[in-house]
Amino acid sequence: MTYPLHIDWPELHGAFQMNMPEVRCFLCRDDGHVLKIPPGDPQLANVRTEANRYIAIEAVSSRIQYQWLDSFAKTVDDLALRARIEAAINGKGAFRRFKDILLALPDERRRWFEFRANLLRERIVEWVGEQGI
């Protein structure tokens, strides 16, 4: 008999946003909890020996997150602001410049977080489906 897996969605959400590449994240197929394993943690050896029990979780890459910035910029109605954002997200430091612009624009900042949350949610649900869960 198969039982539904109750995934710890907040933890899975956090794992997809993990910005510390040295910390490895895994979803346990048995109970849906997420393991966050720092370097040198002996638990990593156990996870590797039970590869059928744990699924490695890769954080959303900066390349994909950059694509989200670009997609968001295209939704900005104010043409002058859109041009500012598009200029800001070109080259090294794009995320910082983008964030700096939005700090002065609370409505656009809120809209960005909703936009990003929806894309992240879609990516997580897609990934869960890809894993056959």
Side-chain angles (χ1 to χ4, degrees), residues 4 6 21 24 34 41 43 45-46 51 54 65 71-72 77 92 98 101 109 112 122 133:
H6 296 285
R24 300 291 321 257
V34 174
D41 189 319
Q43 195 172 19
N46 294 337
Y54 296 97
Q65 291 189 52
S71 295
F72 177 79
D77 292 332
K92 189 173 173 80
F98 177 78
I101 289 171
R109 186 169 186 264
W112 158 248
E122 287 173 16
I133 299 171

Side-chain angles (χ1 to χ4, degrees), residues 85-96:
I85 290 173
E86 287 173 342
I89 64 173
N90 277 316
K92 189 173 173 80
F95 293 99
R96 165 54 57 195

Side-chain angles (χ1 to χ4, degrees), residues 57-113:
I57 302 167
E58 298 298 327
V60 177
S61 71
S62 59
R63 181 184 56 81
I64 290 172
Q65 291 189 52
Y66 177 81
Q67 290 170 348
W68 294 354
L69 292 181
D70 189 52
S71 295
F72 177 79
K74 291 177 173 110
T75 70
V76 175
D77 292 332
D78 180 323
L79 296 180
L81 177 58
R82 182 187 306 172
R84 260 182 75 204
I85 290 173
E86 287 173 342
I89 64 173
N90 277 316
K92 189 173 173 80
F95 293 99
R96 165 54 57 195
R97 289 188 302 273
F98 177 78
K99 181 181 174 185
D100 288 347
I101 289 171
L102 293 187
L103 281 174
L105 303 164
D107 291 340
E108 284 300 313
R109 186 169 186 264
R110 185 173 25 263
R111 203 170 71 75
W112 158 248
F113 283 119

Side-chain angles (χ1 to χ4, degrees), residues 108-124:
E108 284 300 313
R109 186 169 186 264
R110 185 173 25 263
R111 203 170 71 75
W112 158 248
F113 283 119
E114 290 171 7
F115 184 88
R116 184 180 181 282
N118 287 333
L119 290 171
L120 185 58
R121 188 177 310 107
E122 287 173 16
R123 176 62 197 125
I124 293 169

